[in-house]
Amino acid sequence: GLWVLNNTSAMSSHVLNHSHQHLSSLPESDLVVQLSTSLKTKPDVVDFGTVFTDHMLTVEWNANDGWQTPLIRPFGDLSLHPACSALHYAVELFEGLKVYRGDDKRLRLFRPLLNMERMSKSAERACLPAFDQSELLGCIKRLIEIDQDWVPHLGPACLYIRPTFIGTEPSLGVKKPNRALLYVIMCQAGSYFNTELSLWADPKYTRAWKGGTGDCKMGGNYGGTLFAQLEAGSYGCQQVLWLYGEDHQITEGGTMNIFLHWINEDGDEELATPPLDGTILPGVTRQSILDLARKWHSGFLNSLLERYLTMGQLCSALKQQRLKEMFGSGTACRVCHIGSIVYEEKNLQLPNQDKHSLSSRIATELTDIQVSR
Amino acid sequence: GLWVLNNTSAMSSHVLNHSHQHLSSLPESDLVVQLSTSLKTKPDVVDFGTVFTDHMLTVEWNANDGWQTPLIRPFGDLSLHPACSALHYAVELFEGLKVYRGDDKRLRLFRPLLNMERMSKSAERACLPAFDQSELLGCIKRLIEIDQDWVPHLGPACLYIRPTFIGTEPSLGVKKPNRALLYVIMCQAGSYFNTELSLWADPKYTRAWKGGTGDCKMGGNYGGTLFAQLEAGSYGCQQVLWLYGEDHQITEGGTMNIFLHWINEDGDEELATPPLDGTILPGVTRQSILDLARKWHSGFLNSLLERYLTMGQLCSALKQQRLKEMFGSGTACRVCHIGSIVYEEKNLQLPNQDKHSLSSRIATELTDIQVSR
């Protein structure tokens, strides 16, 4: 078979047979494919998310007729009503996943059902319609197959897949949309960060809050972050480290979850990341790291915790040389060592990464799963 | 002249002469008009925001060349790259204002420079480019002139104007966009609320928070609210009353600012509304009510305050019969009496509106300014 999906919680892999797939509610329909007549040249190395493949998947929905026939068609502009609810009220969400070409030439999607599941939760929160997760995944696999020449032949390079779901109600009332468009585009992933990360932490900006949408991948979580991102840049930092509350809780960095590998206040070695309390994006890579670490648990980690972490605790650990490593995780950035944090007029230098670092070990293991298993 | 603009802080009116206008940074260019060859039939009564006029204004911007030539063209779909930053990261904002046809047949815009100013602030927060406010207003006036037959002949009916500003960067990096599109569409306003409002207040959802974007008219503030809006509907309520913090501060209702007319804790008659602390949208109608009330101040109001108001204070005032009236304000809803609030398993019945109510007096005065002065 062409496919390996890393789907199970243990992250072993299994091959799925392909079959024609459609979204639910229109069982008679089947995916329609319109192939492009002029294929693009594939550039060698490009920035993340700037060069797209030859085809895209689109599926329309409306409240009267439900889901329409899924369509794979040549990549091109969308035609949208100017009152479209995504453009005015950010009724929109997305996902991000990657497809790798394994050493055995087969295509590998890393735990794609976790993305489908999160996408369903985002859709519910955004008041966009439900969809059949496995049928959407089937459509995405068809799209990848058609553009499979775009999946790099040299690992760990890969192709980035962006499912997107927008409200297309053509009226200005602030309400649940009666029309929607689900579409999937794919682009060269490039390298997201080349070096270790520098972060900027200032409590004056907040990414998400209790009672909001910080645990969903909705567009509105991102538009408000650009301003802080620019300010981070003015301090020479690559990303924002988002804090929360009076005690400056560490929540997320830019587009990634955050992990601390340290000797905690009680003297135990611990891998810690903030808990999913509604303000944290439940990252697939975050979950996979927790799953891996649980497997390794008895080996070298005394303690594995989803717990609150404050800047005060980080600073104390740094001062007392209890911090081993801080790193971020995300589909785009994978596992990123964090080298420094600008916080309260200080530039905190964090411990260096080496091949024995936990982040190195995790990155190696993830690559192994993504490309070889 | 055709125009009356209610611009000054005292809300008296003055006539502006029309001249061709363009956005800054391209002083040689001028607005280009492409008239529609087939005008639509104008339906009699329609829901808010569903029927649009014959033309729209579009102006493109890119980081290399700045603002392009403003274009008035037949109303129609936008062609957008599927990676467009507005569709993924909600890099988008809007404004809402109304044009009235006065008793003297002249067209009246109500304090439009306040909308242009707020739009500029939203653009800065969203990392979209700056624009010349008076030149944009000039373009909007041209658009209204061309579609002036759409402005209702019977006041207080009016035409609603929706300036919209979106990032159109065609790549998936989360960053300040290098391309943007500013466009303006206009629609029949219809009647927004016909009856007195019922609100649903539950602290489990939060609209905005300190360090976020609640004081800007960015799309991301709205997409996350639909879910709570649906839950409000399940309680038979029309809108959400958004609370904030442990003490359940009253912030905003759905798409409006909130006012309390009451005898306060010290026994003074007071008109109060929450302060602009970063979580409150600085409404043009809100500001106008404050300006009017200041003018009337010595007459019948002892105290006019932007102050924090909690649900506890409201409940006490209700119990002790100190509440005279609660109402909302906004461009779409104008001034809306609030009849009831579902809160903590109770359905609070608020004092009725009559022609002596402050909201009635304010509504009459605003209509007078909007149509006659």
Side-chain angles (χ1 to χ4, degrees), chain B residues 166-341:
Chain B
I166 62 175
T168 52
E169 171 84 23
S171 71
L172 294 181
V174 181
K175 63 180 182 189
K176 180 181 160 108
N178 288 312
R179 292 182 171 274
L181 174 68
L182 196 164
Y183 65 96
V184 181
I185 53 180
M186 306 193 295
C187 61
Q188 295 197 339
S191 61
Y192 206 75
F193 298 118
N194 290 314
T195 56
E196 61 179 25
L197 271 179
S198 55
L199 302 182
W200 176 73
D202 192 313
K204 72 178 169 179
Y205 299 114
T206 316
R207 189 195 81 94
W209 69 108
K210 308 277 166 65
T213 60
D215 56 348
C216 294
K217 225 162 163 59
M218 288 167 64
N221 294 339
Y222 297 83
T225 70
L226 302 186
F227 195 77
Q229 172 70 20
L230 283 185
E231 195 162 336
S234 75
Y235 284 88
C237 298
Q238 293 156 287
Q239 292 262 314
V240 177
L241 177 61
W242 295 98
L243 306 181
Y244 188 87
E246 299 292 318
D247 54 352
H248 299 181
Q249 290 163 32
I250 292 168
T251 63
E252 291 187 27
T255 53
M256 58 194 185
N257 293 115
I258 294 288
F259 283 86
L260 243 61
H261 181 204
W262 68 339
I263 309 297
N264 69 16
E265 306 93 326
D266 300 327
D268 291 327
E269 185 176 345
E270 179 178 280
L271 178 64
T273 191
L276 303 179
D277 66 355
T279 68
I280 302 290
L281 203 278
V284 171
T285 309
R286 174 189 181 280
Q287 184 58 48
S288 301
I289 291 172
L290 289 174
D291 293 342
L292 273 184
R294 241 167 238 128
K295 201 177 70 175
W296 294 341
H297 184 266
S298 54
F300 71 105
L301 281 171
N302 284 321
S303 191
L304 166 70
L305 275 178
E306 296 177 65
R307 56 163 281 184
Y308 288 104
L309 297 162
T310 68
M311 283 305 294
Q313 289 166 339
L314 175 66
C315 291
S316 294
L318 201 54
K319 201 171 173 183
Q320 297 165 11
Q321 298 189 303
R322 287 188 285 108
L323 181 67
K324 289 175 166 287
E325 190 185 15
M326 184 167 175
F327 59 94
S329 73
T331 293
C333 74
R334 295 167 42 88
V335 180
C336 287
H337 177 79
I338 297 165
S340 60
I341 304 174

Side-chain angles (χ1 to χ4, degrees), chain A residues 21-25 132-140:
Chain A
Q21 304 276 351
H22 51 75
L23 297 179
S24 62
S25 305
D132 186 299
Q133 298 176 28
S134 63
E135 292 181 351
L136 175 58
L137 179 56
C139 292
I140 292 174

Side-chain angles (χ1 to χ4, degrees), chain A residues 192-193 197-202 204-207 221-242 252-256, chain B residues 91 124-127 173-177 211:
Chain A
Y192 205 77
F193 299 118
L197 271 179
S198 55
L199 302 181
W200 176 74
D202 192 312
K204 72 178 168 177
Y205 299 113
T206 317
R207 190 196 81 95
N221 294 340
Y222 297 83
T225 70
L226 301 187
F227 195 77
Q229 172 70 18
L230 282 185
E231 194 161 337
S234 75
Y235 284 88
C237 298
Q238 293 155 287
Q239 292 261 316
V240 177
L241 177 60
W242 296 98
E252 291 187 28
T255 52
M256 58 195 183
Chain B
V91 182
E124 186 183 359
R125 185 68 177 82
C127 295
V174 181
K175 63 180 182 189
K176 180 181 160 108

